[in-house]
Amino acid sequence: MLRPSVLRLLKRTGASRLSLLEDFGPRYYGSGSLSARDDASDGRAYFTTPIFYVNAAPHIGHLYSALLADALCRHRRLRSPSTAATRFSTGTDEHGLKIQQAAATAGLAPTELCDRVSEQFQQLFQEAGISCTDFIRTTEARHRMAVQQFWGVLKSRGLLYKGLYEGWYCASDECFLPEAKVTWQPGPSGDSFPVSLESGHPVSWTKEENYIFRLSQFREPLQRWLRGNPQAITPEPFHHVVLQWLDEELPDLSVSRRSSHLHWGIPVPGDDSQTIYVWLDALVNYLTVIGYPNAEFKSWWPATSHIIGKDILKFHAIYWPAFLLGAGMSPPQRIYVHSHWTVCGQKMSKSLGNVVDPRTCLNRYTVDGFRYFLLRQGVPNWDCDYYDEKVVKLLNSELADALGGLLNRCTAKRINPSETYPAFCTNCFPSEPGLVGPSVRAQAEDYALVSAVATLPKQVADHYDNFQIYKALEAVSSCVRQTNGFVQRHAPWKLNWESPVDAPWLGTVLHVALECLRVFGTLLQPVTPSLADKLLSRLGVSASERSLGELYFLPRFYGHPCPFEGRRLGPETGVLFPKLDQSRTWVVKAHRT
Ligand code: MSP
């Protein structure tokens, strides 16, 4: 039975009894065990980033794609800590005209360019703490085998035919474009040349005999899939856009190029004169990683979440599901879409020289600092603008001052001389709000704080589910501010441990603040893993007490024993997040390949 005080608290926070039982389970004392609900029936979940082109060095936009996937995957692992249940892949996209041309321009053999840039991505992801379980390169033999097998399945199902294909091709975007998506732009010499309306990249007219995929057959199946799965593409505006695209005619798609024109790729099985279209090649990476064509891949498919940028939505939300349906497989479970980073209001580009190098940023702002910045400021629905002052301001205010300051206030020797988690006194802070009595010290705002932190894990989980990680961080940050207000209101530094009147309340104030910090540390793990580890270690929270299932917030308030009460804090390891020097902001330049 739920205690009446808990029910009252829930009424105030707007949570119903039913949702409490469904979402948190019976062991819930405030924050509760969040279970992984929307994955495959055996609880497996497979996260992917796009595989990155190796024509140029990584920039912050690439890191952002990988960080979003990393945070989603880490949050999922917190809900269900068995590592066998999650898989997380990233990698490099190494074939195609774009890479072939980039290698020629750099005077390198394509393999040399691929090795060099793929290594840069691997290094960056390792430095940035991207917790991938697999890194795939499309030039690997296992991938060639998977792509050729997949091709064979489409062919055997009558979905490929040979025909004359004529149209505009954009090598930078590796896609065909209809006439309506091309415009003419004046060049430096006065002549105009054709470019893609969407990306502004040059296009050229191509006329070839190719293998063509019967994409037009899939318009209605795709519409049915999307209408029946309103969460398939998140956030919702992108789902809507794809359905709008599907209102229009869906022409068949050329899925090979003449090998004399495109030699850097996987040959069509049984026809060496043709090379497989790079997007078909690249998309199959998601299957290669999980062992396709061996049957083991079925235990991971379709429990898949693809994290992608908005520029590659059509490939993932139309071509890929159509290829999969064609091969007799299900479309992926979720496609999470994000927008782009611009720099000082402009699109990042090598030619403009405004590419922001992520490794410089990681060094300058620390790994956790830069991870926090990108995920706290990046809004999936809209483009975000990058500039250095913004990073310094955010990190100083939210990590150094608010969170670091709060930890310091509750653990500093002069306030907490015994360096323990003090006891919570129910007479000072009764679970019934509004009680009066000589020992009652808690005020209405303190109850508001408790209910805000109690519901925070659920709120955060919902934001992750809706791919609004910045909102999850905003909610944590707002609770940190509220907790600082709580400490400020009760000024523990003015209370005296020696006084029998003050001591129980002083202990309670610190206990509540430490409990809030424990929740913040637990919830920040997916975004700032090292900082969260430092925070939780300082609080004396052991590794087995850091999952969401173990997160019982303020149990003493709800009448349960608290395992932390009386426990010694962990060792002091210095400031949680060092304050950055505001004057040291500068314009970062990209690494050259
Ligand atoms: N190789 C393809 C993906 C194939 S997946 C089967 C590709 N590669 S990419 O290197 O151009 O882009 C990789 C990811 O980085 C995409 O999700 C893309 O949206 C993202 N970003 C590229 N520039 C970006 C920004 N400026 N900002 C945020 N993300 C950006 O497309």
Side-chain angles (χ1 to χ4, degrees):
M1 280 296 285
L2 294 169
R3 288 156 48 97
S5 55
V6 176
L7 281 175
R8 260 196 301 280
L9 180 73
L10 289 166
K11 266 191 199 135
R12 277 206 309 277
T13 59
S16 70
R17 179 179 178 160
L18 186 65
S19 75
L20 173 94
L21 295 173
E22 279 174 355
D23 295 331
F24 300 121
R27 294 183 305 155
Y28 172 69
Y29 306 150
S31 46
S33 56
L34 294 160
S35 58
R37 287 159 303 184
D38 43 30
D39 307 306
S41 51
D42 68 350
R44 291 188 179 210
Y46 171 37
F47 295 87
T48 71
T49 74
I51 47 171
F52 300 89
Y53 284 132
V54 289
N55 61 310
H59 60 56
I60 56 165
H62 301 132
L63 177 60
Y64 180 57
S65 261
L67 277 178
L68 286 165
D70 187 52
L72 277 187
C73 184
R74 284 178 186 262
H75 186 263
R76 175 63 177 66
R77 289 185 192 131
L78 275 188
R79 292 164 84 162
S80 147
S82 153
T83 46
T86 53
R87 209 140 165 192
F88 171 20
S89 80
T90 187
T92 41
D93 190 352
E94 306 189 3
H95 288 137
L97 205 54
K98 183 180 174 105
I99 309 303
Q100 186 178 303
Q101 289 173 351
T105 308
L108 297 170
T111 43
E112 265 181 278
L113 179 72
C114 293
D115 288 349
R116 190 181 289 186
V117 182
S118 181
E119 177 61 29
Q120 290 179 8
F121 275 98
Q122 290 181 55
Q123 226 169 23
L124 168 68
F125 291 164
Q126 200 196 350
E127 282 171 25
I130 303 298
S131 61
C132 53
T133 56
D134 299 82
F135 190 99
I136 182 167
R137 299 184 56 185
T138 52
T139 43
E140 290 174 58
R142 60 171 173 155
H143 180 64
R144 181 190 177 108
M145 206 259 283
V147 171
Q148 290 189 328
Q149 172 75 25
F150 193 81
W151 178 281
V153 174
L154 294 181
K155 184 114 211 296
S156 69
R157 295 172 75 108
L159 293 168
L160 302 177
Y161 63 95
K162 231 173 168 185
L164 190 69
Y165 203 90
E166 193 171 358
W168 294 106
Y169 192 77
C170 176
S172 294
D173 304 338
E174 294 283 18
C175 69
F176 285 96
L177 293 168
E179 192 68 50
K181 293 278 167 69
V182 172
T183 184
W184 291 79
Q185 193 172 285
S189 55
D191 296 351
S192 57
F193 65 99
V195 295
S196 157
L197 254 178
E198 263 167 39
S199 69
H201 293 137
V203 298
S204 57
W205 188 256
T206 333
K207 186 175 177 184
E208 285 183 10
E209 190 173 49
N210 294 152
Y211 286 92
I212 296 173
F213 173 69
R214 297 187 191 279
L215 183 62
S216 53
Q217 287 189 2
F218 291 90
R219 201 170 78 131
E220 281 172 22
L222 289 173
Q223 285 173 329
R224 273 199 301 279
W225 163 58
L226 289 176
R227 294 204 174 112
N229 295 279
Q231 279 213 305
I233 303 173
T234 306
E236 199 282 329
F238 293 108
H239 192 94
H240 187 72
V241 163
V242 177
L243 275 170
Q244 272 182 338
W245 288 337
L246 288 170
D247 281 342
E248 288 164 26
E249 201 198 340
L250 192 60
D252 285 352
L253 176 73
S254 163
V255 285
S256 73
R257 304 300 305 273
R258 243 183 19 239
S259 322
S260 55
H261 181 61
L262 172 68
H263 58 80
W264 185 239
I266 300 175
V268 166
D271 184 354
D272 281 357
S273 73
Q274 294 276 321
T275 303
I276 295 177
Y277 174 41
V278 64
W279 267 103
L280 175 51
D281 167 343
L283 288 161
V284 172
N285 95 84
Y286 300 132
L287 296 178
T288 308
V289 164
I290 49 174
Y292 179 87
N294 296 330
E296 62 171 282
F297 88 90
K298 291 186 182 146
S299 57
W300 293 98
W301 197 270
T304 307
S305 298
H306 293 314
I307 288 81
I308 59 160
K310 62 179 184 179
D311 55 321
I312 53 176
L313 181 58
K314 184 178 62 193
F315 304 96
H316 283 81
I318 293 186
Y319 298 174
W320 181 225
F323 292 151
L324 287 162
L325 289 169
M329 294 160 68
S330 305
Q333 201 168 62
R334 307 280 307 253
I335 300 175
Y336 293 105
V337 190
H338 65 79
S339 298
H340 282 186
W341 282 91
T342 55
V343 174
C344 301
Q346 282 183 306
K347 192 176 165 168
M348 250 187 295
S349 90
K350 234 175 158 180
S351 49
L352 286 174
N354 65 349
V355 177
V356 180
D357 171 24
R359 290 177 72 189
T360 312
C361 296
L362 292 169
N363 285 334
R364 166 88 170 97
Y365 302 119
T366 75
V367 170
D368 281 16
F370 200 56
R371 287 176 63 108
Y372 186 81
F373 170 78
L374 286 181
L375 293 172
R376 170 80 170 88
Q377 288 289 314
V379 178
N381 301 46
W382 300 282
D383 286 354
C384 300
D385 198 34
Y386 177 88
Y387 52 95
D388 297 311
E389 293 88 334
K390 202 152 132 183
V391 191
V392 176
K393 228 177 177 163
L394 179 87
L395 299 184
N396 280 349
S397 105
E398 294 195 356
L399 295 187
D401 293 343
L403 189 64
L406 179 61
L407 177 67
N408 194 37
R409 282 169 138 186
C410 310
T411 54
K413 252 212 148 90
R414 77 203 128 76
I415 284 183
N416 187 347
S418 63
E419 296 220 43
T420 54
Y421 229 87
F424 178 88
C425 168
T426 44
N427 291 333
C428 300
F429 203 145
S431 51
E432 301 282 333
L435 282 187
V436 280
S439 55
V440 176
R441 305 285 280 268
Q443 303 170 4
E445 293 101 311
D446 305 336
Y447 286 90
L449 168 71
V450 168
S451 70
V453 180
T455 49
L456 187 62
K458 168 77 169 78
Q459 245 189 68
V460 164
D462 288 345
H463 289 317
Y464 270 83
D465 219 38
N466 296 324
F467 202 44
Q468 303 288 330
I469 298 177
Y470 81 100
K471 282 194 186 165
L473 293 173
E474 202 170 75
V476 172
S477 173
S478 149
C479 283
V480 172
R481 268 199 310 278
Q482 230 175 318
T483 314
N484 268 316
F486 167 79
V487 174
Q488 193 66 33
R489 199 159 48 244
H490 300 299
W493 47 89
K494 289 190 186 154
L495 300 171
N496 183 356
W497 281 112
E498 306 302 322
S499 146
V501 179
D502 281 357
W505 176 234
L506 172 51
T508 303
V509 170
L510 294 183
H511 182 103
V512 171
L514 288 170
E515 276 293 275
C516 293
L517 274 165
R518 189 168 63 81
V519 171
F520 306 148
T522 305
L523 295 176
L524 284 173
Q525 289 176 100
V527 173
T528 54
S530 307
L531 178 138
D533 173 46
K534 193 169 178 182
L535 170 54
L536 293 170
S537 299
R538 179 68 173 129
L539 301 185
V541 180
S542 70
S544 61
E545 294 167 323
R546 296 179 180 189
S547 75
L548 292 171
E550 302 303 315
L551 186 57
Y552 309 122
F553 171 61
L554 207 57
R556 296 275 280 112
F557 178 80
Y558 300 97
H560 297 276
C562 170
F564 298 96
E565 217 168 50
R567 193 186 284 191
R568 269 200 79 74
L569 296 179
E572 147 77 303
T573 47
V575 288
L576 185 66
F577 189 83
K579 204 152 173 167
L580 297 159
D581 180 353
Q582 181 72 266
S583 64
R584 285 178 58 206
T585 54
W586 79 137
V587 178
V588 278
K589 288 254 172 350
H591 275 320
R592 301 231 168 263
T593 56

